[in-house]
Amino acid sequence: MATISGIATKTASVLGLASIAIEAHDLGKRHSRNCGARASADKFVRDEIGASKLNYPSAKHAASKKFFANCDFTDKLFEIGGRVGGYFLGIGECIKNNIFTVAFSAMGLIAKTKPTKIIALIGMAASLIFDTVLNGTSIFERKDYLDK
């Protein structure tokens, strides 16, 4: 038979993990856009630098380098690679920043004894409160940039 503490622990654990999953997906999308754009820009700069250098002065080789710099078919592949890598980078960053909430939520999902469930609930609450105070408020942020 399910107890109140068991139901509360499982519910809090699922909600905590769902919250982190939503945040991880959002952060993954943001990093995906940024990394895709950065990969595309870096590829463009590399192509331009490569096209501007010649081993020896040759109009034929200069024209072919310029053609390959402007007609590179791999540009989209670099952008897609940057977007995929950026998405996973964002997910990893979110999990790293919320590691204690993830750990206590997982502990709450697999907990069998009442003391373990209580520790999981207290740990989740403490990590969520700490995260909210540290990142969701400006209490510990420097606000006096004009003062030395």
Side-chain angles (χ1 to χ4, degrees):
M1 185 164 113
T3 64
I4 299 292
S5 66
I7 294 171
T9 304
K10 300 284 188 219
T11 303
S13 297
V14 168
L15 291 174
L17 289 175
S19 168
I20 292 168
I22 291 168
E23 183 181 353
H25 177 64
D26 182 58
L27 198 58
K29 289 191 306 186
R30 289 179 193 202
H31 278 285
S32 176
R33 283 190 297 272
N34 291 342
C35 290
R38 189 177 311 118
S40 180
D42 290 348
K43 177 78 168 77
F44 173 77
V45 169
R46 280 194 308 272
D47 287 347
E48 289 299 313
I49 290 171
S52 69
K53 295 181 177 184
L54 291 174
N55 295 336
Y56 65 94
S58 166
K60 174 179 75 170
H61 292 138
S64 68
K65 279 191 167 199
K66 185 172 178 129
F67 172 79
F68 285 116
N70 293 330
C71 297
D72 195 354
F73 302 107
T74 62
D75 286 348
K76 199 63 173 171
L77 293 176
F78 277 86
E79 181 183 348
I80 291 170
R83 289 179 71 91
V84 169
Y87 185 79
F88 288 111
L89 179 72
I91 289 174
E93 182 180 319
C94 181
I95 290 172
K96 183 186 86 172
N97 289 340
N98 294 294
I99 191 67
F100 293 112
T101 306
V102 170
F104 284 118
S105 294
M107 182 180 174
L109 286 175
I110 61 172
K112 299 290 183 199
T113 64
K114 189 170 184 173
T116 308
K117 292 174 185 177
I118 292 171
I119 290 170
L121 281 173
I122 292 171
M124 276 188 292
S127 65
L128 289 170
I129 289 169
F130 177 77
D131 180 56
T132 302
V133 169
L134 187 65
N135 298 314
T137 66
S138 61
I139 292 173
F140 297 108
E141 292 179 7
R142 182 175 172 211
K143 300 174 199 93
D144 58 342
Y145 288 102
L146 298 177
D147 298 333
K148 293 224 179 206

